[in-house]
Amino acid sequence: MGDYTEVSYEYEVHGQFKPEAEANPTIGESGKLEYVDEYIIECILTAGISML
């Protein structure tokens, strides 16, 4: 992005998920809807440049 490198954005979101009966969830319980606070991180990459 011009003369800047390592540009990213992050913002907090409220996610939800419901583990299936066969799941072994670390958070929440199988068959029960769980709500969690999460962060989304977005990065802008230049085509042809590897992050590895």
Side-chain angles (χ1 to χ4, degrees):
M1 293 189 60
D3 293 330
Y4 296 86
T5 62
E6 302 177 41
V7 177
S8 67
Y9 307 93
E10 70 176 63
Y11 44 95
E12 188 174 4
V13 297
H14 303 287
Q16 69 180 43
F17 60 90
K18 183 166 89 173
E20 297 290 329
E22 304 79 26
N24 183 19
T26 300
I27 299 172
E29 300 176 29
S30 295
K32 183 177 176 185
L33 190 59
E34 180 73 25
Y35 299 93
V36 294
D37 293 332
E38 302 175 304
Y39 281 92
I40 293 177
I41 299 173
E42 296 181 357
C43 300
I44 299 173
L45 305 175
T46 303
I49 294 179
S50 174
M51 293 294 291
L52 300 176

